[in-house]
Amino acid sequence: MTVLTVPMAETGAASITRRTRVLRRLRRNPLAVVSFVVLALAAAIALLSPWIAPYSVDQTDFARTFAPPGTPGHLLGTDDLGRDVLSRIMLGARASLQVGLLAVATSLVIGVPLGLAAGYFRAWDAVISRFTDLLLAFPFLIMAVGLAAIRGASLGNAAVAIGIAQIPGVIRVVRSDTLRLKSLDFVAAAVVDGASDLWVLARHILPNATSVILVQATVAIPAAILGEAVLSFLGLGIQPPSPSLGTMLATAQQFAARAPWAAVLPGVVIMGLALAFNVFGDALRDALDPKGDRR
Amino acid sequence: MARYLLTRAWQSALTLLLSTIVVFFGVRALPGDPALALAGEDRSPEALEAIRRHYGLDQPLPVQFAQYVERMVQGDFGVSIRTGTPVSSMLTTALPVTVELSVLAILLATALGVGAGVLAAVRRGRPAEWVANGMALIGLSVPHFWLGLLAILYLSVATGLFPASGFVPILEDPVDNLHHIVLPAVILGTGLAAIIMRQTRSAMLDSLSSDYVRTAKAKGLRPRAVITQHALRNSLIVVVTVVGLQLGGLISGAVVTEQIFGLPGFGKMTIDAVFQRDYPVIQAVVLLTATAYIVINFLVDLLYSVIDPRIRVTGDPA
Amino acid sequence: MTTAERAGAAATVATPVLAVRDLSVSFPTETGNVSAVDGVSLDLAPGEIVGMVGESGCGKSVTAMSIAGLLPGSARISGSVRLNGTELVGTREAALRRVRGKEIAYIFQEPMTSLNPVLTVGRQIGEVLQVHERMSRRAARARAVELLTLVGIPSAAKRVDNYPHQLSGGMRQRVMIAMAVACGPKVLVADEPTTALDVTVQAGILQVLRDLRDRLGTSILVITHDLGVIADIADRVVVMYAGRVVERAAVTDLFAHPYHRYTAGLLSASPTPGRHAGTDRLQEIPGLVPVLSVQPDVCTFADRCPAADGRCRESAPPLEVVAAGSTDHLAACWHPCPSPRSDVEEAHR
Ligand SMILES: Nc1ncnc2c1ncn2[C@@H]1O[C@H](COP(=O)(O)OP(=O)(O)OP(=O)(O)O)[C@@H](O)[C@H]1O
Ligand code: SF4
Ligand SMILES: [Mg+2]
């Protein structure tokens, strides 16, 4: 059975009703609401952490190293240098989100134009495909290893390595959505009316492709957060003494015999952040699915 | 089919060439004099001059590139700055560990991912689906190196069930080898299993609502036959693609997993090299990874054409 | 055989192979209940071809699928479907599976997507025989070649190893038919078998169906949008509107004198019987088929009907014998068209 539905956003005028419908579907989905609240809280804490963290992240207390969680004054205990774990987790989460956003921004800035071009101009498709293949051949960790060798390890380089590795995914979804939109009547009509390619891309295709870009970004952020954790754990990302959840885990591994609990919390926070993004991304995808009502 | 394979072969070759160029220039972008980087311990002017001549660093760029490719093809990746051993011999000892780990992880992840994906699609809207979906979301969100840490802390150290680190070559003692590698492989496979599960589930949902599955039901086939003969067969095409594309992620994961479990593989070698600024090793690792990725994805394309008759017979990918 | 002769032959047969009584189907959905079929009854005599027409969404496919219990689990079904006296509604899946493909077989609209792209057509035909006739794979393949020949596929021995994408649309539909008739079913349900095909190919497919009826004595339910197809192949017609049967008659009678106002509208918007129609569809009646959540006790056509009055909006007209001379011509209309078709057309102008 073929259902002929023209997604409403594509008729332009109806985009408001479509947005309210998507929002309504999100509000009705408890998983979406919970994950959104978690993300909002995490964002608030991350933004405010320099002010609300109980201690300065660098404040050491050699009299009190490896205090277990629940120690008065240090809710989550202290680390090998006597620094407050809660404060470091808060700022570490902030760094995770920073890398996540930075990486995804990098991949969108490069990937979206390339995806549009690959989908819209036939001649560019083959060239961009080769570029995608080339990027795919360098996994993010290898990319990070290369960048670290050339430019040194840092938060920025980690984010760039992750972002570059995420470009192919962006190109793929934008390209296929562009191909789909290009074949729709209203785009053809605009072309017949003599609109320039750039105009068609900017006014007709890009706005309608935002939903797939949004979903792609929502699932790319948690991947980037995990990537940052891996790189920092290996020493290829954020450099000590800057707080990072990944480096906290590396320290925990080093001192596993003395403070085995230290390995638990940073991991839980990373997982919680990634999980919230992934759950919200799933809910968003379902809410945007034009077939969603029938299911 | 011949045309399809030729196109793919040509595209792979082109990508391989491009990635070699990237690495070549990457090496030149390394800080400092490449001769210095290649020299290792002996940094006397004579030694540097000899290296310049040996590696053709005094030649024009295209010539340098040609010589570079020639050396790489011959397996001459230079000499490790730190240990002084040829990089190629380091690779021969490290690679088998990584390959074994990855293959085992892929097998485990595919079995688990396909099984759970099919289950979730078939039991749509029932508890089994919720459980499978939830597990997949967690598998996708958990930092697997952290899982590895916890596994060592709370499984290996506490119970002694698995060794916390180390490796025994498979030829030496296959049982002990498996004992050392199975936990790392499970940990490495979690992320991949989650991705495979989600893709299998959505491909299965598509196939299950397709017209040809309706036809199969109308023929009076048993549900099991409908699922395995008709729906799953079509979904496998998706699974194969996913495994191919996720290979990069798997290589990244293998590096960390080896680091955590102290497996003497390619990953450990890479990380050590970064910290010791062992450029010849880094270069070899990067180039080899890219080559492996490209070659394996070409093989995946071959496999495609075996599974999908639309490619096998006419050469147009579906 | 002319249409008249066919109608006469069909009328003499008494016991139906397939008897559908008061079949209702509804689907609970996210946005509320959808009542797709409401109180449909129809019979299929041995060797008879019955056509079912109606606009898109009026419940034709749902009726067809419910016959062998092929609707999704969410469907709520009531009423009765008897195959040679055996009740099928509410029967266990295992029992239904023995009926599907063996006693009742299906042909679907989209030959492009209804065949599995990764299996050879021989394998797909053979599968039915392996399941129902316990044939070996080898014997099933040999039989598949015979069946492909039967449905008019040239060089069947070669085609049997082809994949669906190597065949044209018409050939694929023939493969579907070969698959459907493999076990010699008593009933064949063809849901828009020709809609996706062009006109010349259509004629060939209809010829194959007619041959099958003549040679194997299969009863066929043909669902279509296209009155040309009905005129071409059917002995009797069932007209559906918004989930209900609104008129039921022998083909000649229906074309000569439609009683229900909806049928009359359809006919005035389409070609004369006997002519091949491929392009003429039932689209010219203004308005849309309503999607109903409950079946109201009114005539659901009233909003689009030129003859509607208060009574039509107060109670649903029963499906009753309307023609003086024929007990086999029924319509559900409070104000049936009084005069034969030519006059109706006049009236519509
Ligand atoms: N699984 C389902 N869930 C909910 N509603 C359904 C389902 N299947 C069919 N329907 C609804 O039942 C009604 C009848 O559909 P059906 O497919 O029988 O129409 P049809 O007469 O075959 O139309 P067409 O000529 O377009 O094939 C439609 O309104 C449809 O939306
Ligand atoms: S019952 Fe009334 S509304 Fe319905 S078709 Fe007949 S005349 Fe028209
Ligand atoms: Mg239909």
Side-chain angles (χ1 to χ4, degrees):
Chain A
M1 186 165 28
T2 41
V3 186
L4 284 174
T5 45
V6 178
M8 285 218 261
E10 280 140 20
T11 57
S15 66
I16 310 291
T17 61
R18 180 183 145 121
R19 187 166 310 154
T20 52
R21 193 188 52 185
V22 168
L23 285 177
R24 195 185 62 222
R25 278 201 205 153
L26 280 177
R27 270 203 311 275
R28 283 209 196 132
N29 181 347
L31 283 176
V33 175
V34 170
S35 57
F36 183 78
V37 169
V38 169
L39 289 177
L41 263 173
I45 292 174
L47 274 176
L48 301 174
S49 56
W51 297 281
I52 62 174
Y55 294 85
S56 148
V57 280
D58 302 326
Q59 189 181 326
T60 54
D61 179 357
F62 291 105
R64 266 225 229 163
T65 58
F66 296 120
T71 307
H74 294 285
L75 190 60
L76 299 180
T78 58
D79 66 5
D80 55 321
L81 302 176
R83 295 174 298 192
D84 181 52
V85 170
L86 175 62
S87 307
R88 290 188 72 78
I89 283 187
M90 286 166 94
L91 277 112
R94 175 189 166 96
S96 290
L97 289 172
Q98 262 174 343
V99 173
L101 293 176
L102 203 61
V104 170
T106 307
S107 66
L108 291 184
V109 163
I110 302 174
V112 170
L114 287 179
L116 288 174
Y120 194 82
F121 304 106
R122 277 205 81 113
W124 291 38
D125 198 15
V127 176
I128 294 174
S129 297
R130 293 292 76 72
F131 177 66
T132 318
D133 285 353
L134 181 64
L135 286 182
L136 282 171
F138 298 99
F140 91 93
L141 206 130
I142 296 301
M143 196 97 72
V145 163
L147 265 183
I150 297 171
R151 299 180 41 190
S154 70
L155 181 146
N157 285 346
V160 168
I162 297 168
I164 292 177
Q166 288 182 338
I167 291 174
V170 176
I171 293 182
R172 186 168 39 83
V173 299
V174 175
R175 174 182 174 274
S176 71
D177 211 43
T178 305
L179 281 174
R180 180 184 69 84
L181 291 163
K182 204 173 90 173
S183 69
L184 294 181
D185 287 346
F186 74 100
V187 175
V191 173
V192 170
D193 285 350
S196 75
D197 290 335
L198 268 184
W199 175 262
V200 171
L201 279 170
R203 288 305 302 264
H204 295 289
I205 295 192
L206 186 57
N208 283 305
T210 40
S211 57
V212 299
I213 296 174
L214 204 64
V215 170
Q216 175 70 15
T218 321
V219 298
I221 292 175
I225 288 177
L226 293 182
E228 182 275 325
V230 166
L231 292 180
S232 297
F233 177 79
L234 293 173
L236 296 172
I238 297 170
Q239 296 300 303
S242 296
S244 146
L245 300 172
T247 33
M248 290 179 81
L249 287 174
T251 318
Q253 185 188 23
Q254 234 177 316
F255 297 102
R258 279 205 62 186
W261 65 82
V264 178
L265 268 171
V268 170
V269 173
I270 300 172
M271 185 171 104
L273 282 178
L275 194 59
F277 273 108
N278 278 326
V279 169
F280 188 74
D282 275 6
L284 189 62
R285 190 196 316 254
D286 288 348
L288 286 166
D289 185 356
K291 289 180 296 186
D293 266 338
R294 287 191 58 107
R295 289 201 174 153
Chain B
M1 158 131 129
R3 222 188 71 222
Y4 164 78
L5 290 184
L6 270 178
T7 318
R8 283 284 183 259
W10 150 244
Q11 288 171 348
S12 303
L14 187 62
T15 313
L16 199 55
L17 177 69
L18 290 174
S19 54
T20 314
I21 294 177
V22 167
V23 176
F24 174 71
F25 281 103
V27 170
R28 301 182 62 85
L30 288 172
D33 183 347
L36 259 180
L38 289 165
E41 303 289 271
D42 185 1
R43 298 188 167 196
S44 63
E46 300 80 55
L48 290 182
E49 198 46 48
I51 284 179
R52 279 204 190 92
R53 227 174 308 110
H54 177 74
Y55 289 104
L57 294 177
D58 45 0
Q59 306 279 330
L61 267 185
V63 177
Q64 281 193 38
F65 182 69
Q67 290 176 345
Y68 175 78
V69 171
E70 195 186 332
R71 280 200 311 279
M72 295 299 130
V73 171
Q74 288 166 353
D76 174 7
F77 298 104
V79 172
S80 162
I81 292 173
R82 195 178 61 100
T83 61
T85 43
V87 176
S88 52
S89 73
M90 290 171 75
L91 285 170
T92 21
T93 50
L95 270 181
V97 182
T98 307
V99 170
E100 189 191 344
L101 176 67
S102 309
V103 168
L104 204 56
I106 291 177
L107 292 180
L108 287 169
T110 309
L112 191 67
V114 171
V118 170
L119 187 79
V122 172
R123 295 257 180 279
R124 172 125 222 221
R126 298 205 232 146
E129 191 200 7
W130 295 111
V131 172
N133 281 349
M135 296 287 282
L137 269 171
I138 291 173
L140 207 61
S141 310
V142 70
H144 61 250
F145 71 93
W146 175 62
L147 267 192
L149 265 184
L150 294 185
I152 290 174
L153 285 179
Y154 295 101
L155 213 64
S156 302
V157 175
T159 68
L161 232 50
F162 296 97
S165 79
F167 181 74
V168 176
I170 191 161
L171 292 177
E172 220 165 82
D173 183 348
V175 177
D176 206 19
N177 164 275
L178 209 61
H179 193 202
H180 275 88
I181 211 152
V182 74
L183 191 57
V186 169
I187 300 288
L188 176 56
T190 47
L192 185 61
I195 293 170
I196 293 179
M197 180 270 165
R198 286 161 66 91
Q199 297 284 350
T200 306
R201 171 178 168 271
S202 83
M204 278 295 286
L205 284 177
D206 281 350
S207 327
L208 284 174
S209 63
S210 71
D211 289 348
Y212 59 79
V213 161
R214 178 180 63 181
T215 306
K217 285 183 192 158
K219 286 200 266 188
L221 299 194
R222 290 166 183 283
R224 177 185 291 263
V226 173
I227 291 164
T228 56
Q229 303 289 308
H230 291 268
L232 185 58
R233 246 190 116 101
N234 280 275
S235 308
L236 279 184
I237 297 173
V238 176
V239 174
V240 170
T241 319
V242 174
V243 173
L245 284 175
Q246 288 305 318
L247 214 65
L250 196 79
I251 292 172
S252 299
V255 173
V256 200
T257 310
E258 286 174 10
Q259 188 77 359
I260 289 176
F261 287 92
L263 297 176
F266 170 88
K268 188 143 181 359
M269 181 178 130
T270 307
I271 300 302
D272 292 347
V274 173
F275 289 117
Q276 288 149 355
R277 308 211 166 279
D278 201 343
Y279 294 125
V281 176
I282 295 177
Q283 180 220 195
V285 158
V286 173
L287 194 60
L288 215 69
T289 313
T291 309
Y293 182 90
I294 294 164
V295 170
I296 292 175
N297 271 283
F298 177 66
L299 296 180
V300 166
D301 285 338
L302 288 186
L303 188 58
Y304 243 174
S305 62
V306 174
I307 302 181
D308 192 342
R310 283 162 294 189
I311 296 177
R312 186 166 67 228
V313 182
T314 54
D316 336 305
Chain C
M1 216 195 299
T2 68
T3 321
E5 281 165 346
R6 266 191 270 141
T12 57
V13 183
T15 43
V17 191
L18 187 78
V20 177
R21 288 289 171 277
D22 212 19
L23 181 77
S24 297
V25 182
S26 64
F27 299 95
T29 68
E30 209 179 281
T31 46
N33 198 53
V34 173
S35 166
V37 172
D38 180 41
V40 164
S41 299
L42 61 91
D43 285 344
L44 214 54
E48 186 185 30
I49 299 182
V50 170
M52 182 183 267
V53 273
E55 280 163 300
S56 195
C58 70
K60 305 183 297 292
S61 296
V62 171
T63 306
M65 299 297 276
S66 57
I67 289 174
L70 285 171
L71 290 173
S74 65
R76 302 231 177 93
I77 306 164
S78 67
S80 152
V81 174
R82 282 171 186 275
L83 178 73
N84 281 331
T86 314
E87 180 61 51
L88 296 183
V89 172
T91 308
R92 283 181 310 118
E93 268 295 302
L96 282 174
R97 275 206 299 276
R98 282 194 289 277
V99 170
R100 290 178 198 146
K102 184 164 169 59
E103 315 275 343
I104 303 177
Y106 283 82
I107 304 168
F108 299 108
Q109 174 178 349
E110 291 290 340
M112 303 299 179
T113 53
S114 294
L115 290 169
N116 190 330
V118 303
L119 300 177
T120 63
V121 298
R123 174 85 195 280
Q124 295 187 60
I125 297 170
E127 212 172 24
V128 202
L129 296 161
Q130 286 173 264
V131 169
H132 293 297
E133 312 286 342
R134 308 230 159 271
M135 275 193 196
S136 68
R137 190 179 273 219
R138 202 157 198 216
R141 186 180 176 283
R143 178 82 182 115
V145 177
E146 292 173 23
L147 286 162
L148 287 175
T149 316
L150 177 76
V151 296
I153 290 194
S155 50
K158 246 175 61 201
R159 290 300 188 183
V160 74
D161 291 324
N162 277 182
Y163 289 91
H165 73 273
Q166 295 169 284
L167 306 177
S168 68
M171 285 224 253
R172 283 183 230 192
Q173 199 59 300
R174 284 170 196 258
V175 169
M176 282 295 290
I177 297 175
M179 201 155 78
V181 299
C183 301
K186 301 194 181 69
V187 174
L188 186 62
V189 179
D191 191 350
E192 310 200 24
T194 59
T195 308
L197 307 171
D198 59 42
V199 186
T200 45
V201 182
Q202 261 190 30
I205 296 292
L206 293 181
Q207 188 55 45
V208 172
L209 290 178
R210 239 190 321 258
D211 280 356
L212 287 173
R213 188 271 302 271
D214 294 344
R215 275 204 254 171
L216 310 175
T218 318
S219 309
I220 306 177
L221 179 64
V222 180
I223 294 171
T224 178
H225 282 117
D226 186 339
L227 283 169
V229 170
I230 298 286
D232 199 354
I233 192 174
D235 304 311
R236 288 193 302 125
V237 200
V238 173
V239 181
M240 284 189 69
Y241 184 81
R244 291 175 184 166
V245 173
V246 293
E247 185 155 7
R248 212 169 76 191
V251 165
T252 35
D253 295 347
L254 188 97
F255 277 92
H257 187 166
Y259 281 86
H260 195 278
R261 298 285 171 166
Y262 172 65
T263 319
L266 285 186
L267 287 177
S268 68
S270 72
T272 39
R275 205 190 103 193
H276 246 303
T279 47
D280 309 274
R281 293 283 163 85
L282 320 177
Q283 291 157 345
E284 349 272 304
I285 306 172
L288 289 170
V289 188
V291 175
L292 303 165
S293 57
V294 285
Q295 286 287 348
D297 188 22
V298 297
C299 175
T300 44
F301 187 58
D303 287 344
R304 297 167 71 187
C305 179
D309 65 5
R311 189 180 184 195
C312 305
R313 295 192 170 85
E314 270 157 26
S315 58
L319 187 65
E320 287 174 339
V321 173
V322 278
S326 163
T327 56
D328 204 30
H329 195 154
L330 297 85
C333 180
W334 290 127
H335 311 292
C337 294
S339 39
R341 192 171 168 216
S342 51
D343 303 337
V344 176
E345 273 180 32
E346 293 297 313
H348 269 260
R349 284 207 183 98

